[in-house]
DNA sequence: TCGAGAATACGACAGCTCGG
DNA sequence: CCGAGCTGTCGTATTCTCGA
């Protein structure tokens, strides 16, 4: 196992950025690097209300790490899905890629959000986030000890980001109500195939931590795969302690076509 | 109970630092 | 010298406090 990526303060450059991301996906062309996209976005005139410096931050620190890693496959998929999926599905996909790019957010959602949900809480406060961040620092998850103000801000960004992605209520408040959040079937299909095509075996797909972002236990993942099987996305067979998945679509592009 | 003003929190922005 | 990551600052929004 490689060492996990350290926690960073990268969320400070932007939280959900739904609207900006949609526009950038529209502008982005396959093969374009972050700096090329920045230049294209600048030239497009579609960001009249932000400074060039700010746009650079959004592209380089938010969009690129979330969607342009691995030759931009996420951006390629989303570019075709963005106009065709409903906004709820899209939001969940944005959450998936943002969480993958920001381990601190992924851990926060898995360890704080869903834990609190499971134990019957209805709110998540910035103070809860602060405790989580502080513990992360103590556990050596950051590359250095963060200043007091950074701890405070990152804590607020974590809850703010959850609000942008529909996990917590919107608005700026130091304690937010948890919202009902359920993984959509389209996103479940996307995630299953995405994990499969990343080279994982069926057992690793089922056990993957990405499902925990959506609050699904291993058993619930299996249940979800059964549902996907009924809908014809794939064929799921569980006999005794052997599970087997027959993947019906040969490429991620084919999956995206089916979803759209 | 209400509202004005104070205090605090939030998030965007951009400059700074430091390691390679 | 460059770029990733960190942090100070500022305008705005929200919450608190207290007198009437």
């Amino acid at each position: 196992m490689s060492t996990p990526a350290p926690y960073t303060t990268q969320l400070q450059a932007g939280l959900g950025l739904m609207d900006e991301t949609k526009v950038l996906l529209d502008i982005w062309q396959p093969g374009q690097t972050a700096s090329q996209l920045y230049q294209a976005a600048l030239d497009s005139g579609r960001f009249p209300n932000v400074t060039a410096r700010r746009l650079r931050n959004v592209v380089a620190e938010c969009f690129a790490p979330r969607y342009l890693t691995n030759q931009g496959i996420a951006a390629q998929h989303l570019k075709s899905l963005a106009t065709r999926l409903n906004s709820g599905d899209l939001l969940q996909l944005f959450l998936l890629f943002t969480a993958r790019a920001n381990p601190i957010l992924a851990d926060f959602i898995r360890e704080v959000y869903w834990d609190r949900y499971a134990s019957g809480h209805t709110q998540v406060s910035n103070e809860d986030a602060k405790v989580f961040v502080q513990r992360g620092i103590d556990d050596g998850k950051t590359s250095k000890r963060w200043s007091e103000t950074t701890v405070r801000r990152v804590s607020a960004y974590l809850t703010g980001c959850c609000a942008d992605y529909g996990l917590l209520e919107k608005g700026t408040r130091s304690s937010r109500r948890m919202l009902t959040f359920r993984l959509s079937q389209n996103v479940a299909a996307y995630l299953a195939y995405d994990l499969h095509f990343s080279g994982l075996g069926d057992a690793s797909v089922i056990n993957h931590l990405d499902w925990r972002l959506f609050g699904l236990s291993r058993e619930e993942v299996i249940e979800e795969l059964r549902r996907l099987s009924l809908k014809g996305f794939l064929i799921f067979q569980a006999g005794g302690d052997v599970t087997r998945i027959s993947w019906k679509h040969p490429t991620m592009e084919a999956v995206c076509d089916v979803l759209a």
Side-chain angles (χ1 to χ4, degrees), chain A residues 1-76:
Chain A
M1 281 299 275
S2 57
T3 55
Y7 289 175
T8 69
T9 65
Q10 198 171 58
L11 278 177
Q12 57 83 33
L15 303 182
L17 298 175
M18 293 299 295
D19 295 338
E20 293 87 342
T21 300
K22 286 176 186 169
V23 176
L24 287 171
L25 280 172
D26 191 39
I27 295 172
W28 181 78
Q29 296 301 321
Q32 246 179 6
T33 65
S35 56
Q36 288 166 335
L37 172 61
Y38 162 66
Q39 200 47 244
L42 200 56
D43 296 342
S44 75
R46 293 176 68 182
F47 293 92
N49 296 321
V50 303
T51 61
R53 177 66 170 81
R54 174 60 183 153
L55 187 57
R56 181 161 70 85
N57 266 353
V58 170
V59 172
E61 297 183 42
C62 301
F63 190 88
R66 297 173 193 182
Y67 310 109
L68 296 185
T69 54
N70 300 321
Q71 289 78 48
I73 49 173
Q76 260 175 70

Side-chain angles (χ1 to χ4, degrees), chain A residues 113 121-125 159 162-163 166-170 173-180:
Chain A
Y113 182 89
H121 289 86
T122 58
Q123 304 240 330
V124 178
S125 69
T159 56
C162 285
L167 291 160
L168 296 172
E169 71 178 332
K170 285 267 203 180
R173 35 186 72 254
S174 53
S175 186
R176 301 167 190 267
R177 265 199 308 278
M178 303 177 77
L179 303 177
T180 46

Side-chain angles (χ1 to χ4, degrees), chain A residues 171-215:
Chain A
T172 56
R173 35 186 72 254
S174 53
S175 186
R176 301 167 190 267
R177 265 199 308 278
M178 303 177 77
L179 303 177
T180 46
F181 187 90
R182 161 134 189 78
L183 176 62
S184 90
Q185 191 161 62
N186 282 336
V187 175
Y190 180 97
L191 179 53
Y193 271 97
D194 181 65
L195 295 173
H196 168 64
F197 285 127
S198 74
L200 297 177
D202 293 352
S204 302
V205 168
I206 293 170
N207 289 324
H208 203 277
L209 278 178
D210 280 352
W211 299 104
R212 304 296 168 268
L213 293 171
F214 302 97

